[in-house]
Amino acid sequence: MPYPALVAMMLTSFVLVTAEFLPNGILTEIARDLGVTVGQAGQMVTITAVVGFLAALTIGSAFPRMDRRTLMVLLALAAAVSNLVVALAPTLPLILVSRALLGGAISAFWSMSLTVASRIAGPERLGRAVMFTTAGLSLATIMGVPLGVVLSSASDWRNAFVVLTLVSAAVALALRLSLPAVPAERSAGPAVLLSTLRWPGVGLGLVGHVLTVLGHVTAYTYIRPALERVGDEGTVVLVLALFGVGGLVGNIVTGAVVDRWLAPLSGIVPLLIGVSLLVVIALPGSTAVVGAAVLVWGVAFAAWLIVLNTWIGRRTPGRLEAGGALSVAGFQLAISAAAGIGGLVIDLVGVTWVFLLGFGSVTVGAVVFWLAGRVPPASADAGADDALAPGGGQHAVVVATEGAAEALVGRVAEATGHLGDPDPVGQE
């Protein structure tokens, strides 16, 4: 296994996710420094999601020929620029512009990560390679965000983004030195994405996915105000770290059992997220209970990412890039809606209703996703509907021509009586 390249991918996801969710842990400080409300400061998360949604659907078409190693380096550098602007910007609008750049980098990374991981480790070891990438996400919640909160508390919240700038630049160098060349593949254009969305159960499943992530992010964006009801600064940092620990555990455990238990996990995992949200907001007087609930929350959300990717892989055979782009777009759509809705709710009626809204959304999402799982999946030859989509006819003609050529070779071999050495194509 080419571990240097895999570690570089893990560090990339670590720095991107840390930068994305660090504002969640320091919203109070950011709002106070900029002279805005907590809800307004929360739009730092909203803007990354809105741009990320667009990037997930268009990144392949926007850079159809660029080597994916070069693209990964540019994405890490874009994150460095974004973090530097946040550290220096005096106003919220300028910060939001820089966070838009980060949102594009994050979604582009996740949309291309499967292709790059496959190139690094080979298709037969793709699962192990993907584990490195998702481990970076878990480490970001275990160490990245809590350390950022500690640094912000000890000095200034802007210093945390200065550190992220330096780390992002270092990661860009590591990617350039360790990744192999990754030629661009045939991109999943709009026609392919739309036809994949129409496959049996896929559209309904993505609705359940969006509702589940909507509920999670609605609550997680404003977890800091919720945890401030539980204890002091040290308690907040500890509980945030528990979420990350749970994510690491959920990543490992779910990865070991999801292939055998996908159907029950598809319903159980989102329900665990919902129950955790309810406990956090209903029992703020018990630090131990809230800590346990946040730990379970972390386990369940990490498990959800693996469950979703496994489900998408089984539902979209031969369409991994399209399925991945749709799931990332759904994720970012949910984030953008969640932060916006949550910001309005917290400013109007408080953090309790934010978590109750999250609980309701996750619960409905669990039911919808479970119903999608009961729809029979597409057959192996479902890709034939490409011929009906714009641009798909060319693919169908190529497939038909290849089949006709194979048949012609077989007939020629048969007519000549297999003269000379046996023709391996004719024997197929």
Side-chain angles (χ1 to χ4, degrees):
M1 289 283 285
Y3 289 108
L6 293 174
V7 171
M9 289 291 287
M10 180 180 69
L11 291 174
T12 307
S13 65
F14 169 81
V15 73
L16 289 176
V17 173
T18 299
E20 181 178 17
F21 291 113
L22 177 58
N24 295 349
I26 56 176
L27 276 182
T28 305
E29 291 93 331
I30 294 175
R32 185 185 307 117
D33 184 43
L34 297 176
V36 298
T37 69
V38 172
Q40 290 170 333
Q43 303 317 303
M44 291 177 65
V45 178
T46 305
I47 192 65
T48 61
V50 171
V51 176
F53 170 74
L54 298 175
L57 296 176
T58 59
I59 186 64
S61 300
F63 301 98
R65 296 182 180 85
M66 180 180 289
D67 184 276
R68 296 328 187 195
R69 174 180 60 183
T70 302
L71 181 58
M72 286 291 179
V73 173
L74 291 177
L75 296 177
L77 290 176
V81 172
S82 171
N83 291 324
L84 181 60
V85 173
V86 171
L88 301 176
T91 63
L92 181 61
L94 184 55
I95 288 177
L96 294 181
V97 171
S98 69
R99 294 285 292 180
L101 179 62
L102 178 68
I106 291 169
S107 276
F109 169 80
W110 288 114
S111 296
M112 294 295 165
S113 61
L114 283 179
T115 299
V116 176
S118 179
R119 180 73 172 181
I120 293 172
E124 69 282 359
R125 293 183 291 183
L126 179 59
R128 187 181 302 179
V130 171
M131 285 286 289
F132 275 82
T133 306
T134 55
L137 187 153
S138 297
L139 289 174
T141 54
I142 293 173
M143 298 190 306
V145 174
L147 286 176
V149 173
V150 171
L151 179 59
S152 299
S153 300
S155 56
D156 183 87
W157 66 269
R158 295 179 184 273
N159 291 334
F161 284 94
V162 172
V163 173
L164 279 174
T165 300
L166 299 175
V167 175
S168 299
V171 166
L173 178 61
L175 289 170
R176 182 64 184 85
L177 294 176
S178 63
L179 288 186
V182 186
E185 297 180 353
R186 180 173 177 265
S187 64
V192 175
L193 293 175
L194 288 174
S195 66
T196 304
L197 196 60
R198 292 194 297 266
W199 281 16
V202 173
L204 186 62
L206 288 174
V207 170
H209 164 52
V210 169
L211 288 172
T212 299
V213 177
L214 175 67
H216 161 76
V217 180
T218 296
Y220 190 75
T221 299
Y222 300 99
I223 191 172
R224 176 63 181 264
L227 295 182
E228 287 175 346
R229 309 186 318 160
V230 178
D232 56 15
E233 184 72 24
T235 301
V236 171
V237 173
L238 175 61
V239 174
L240 286 174
L242 286 176
F243 182 91
V245 171
L248 190 59
V249 172
N251 190 48
I252 295 172
V253 173
T254 307
V257 302
V258 67
D259 288 327
R260 290 174 294 171
W261 300 98
L262 179 59
L265 287 174
S266 297
I268 294 172
V269 166
L271 287 178
L272 281 177
I273 297 175
V275 171
S276 300
L277 301 186
L278 199 58
V279 171
V280 168
I281 206 64
L283 300 171
S286 175
T287 303
V289 171
V290 170
V294 171
L295 179 67
V296 173
W297 184 2
V299 170
F301 187 67
W304 173 251
L305 299 178
I306 296 176
V307 166
L308 174 71
N309 286 325
T310 304
W311 189 89
I312 285 289
R314 293 187 183 181
R315 284 278 163 172
T316 59
R319 295 277 188 90
L320 187 59
E321 183 176 340
L326 288 171
S327 65
V328 172
F331 197 102
Q332 298 295 357
L333 177 64
I335 292 177
S336 60
I341 295 171
L344 179 63
V345 172
I346 195 171
D347 286 344
L348 291 177
V349 292
V351 70
T352 297
W353 283 99
V354 170
F355 272 68
L356 290 176
L357 178 64
F359 166 75
S361 181
V362 170
T363 302
V364 174
V367 174
V368 172
F369 195 77
W370 178 80
L371 290 174
R374 296 179 64 84
V375 177
S379 60
D381 60 351
D385 68 353
D386 280 352
L388 302 177
Q394 180 181 359
H395 175 66
V397 170
V398 171
V399 173
T401 303
E402 290 176 348
E406 291 179 2
L408 179 61
V409 171
R411 290 181 180 180
V412 171
E414 182 179 358
T416 57
H418 303 287
L419 296 177
D421 291 334
D423 184 355
V425 177
Q427 290 183 8
E428 288 182 356

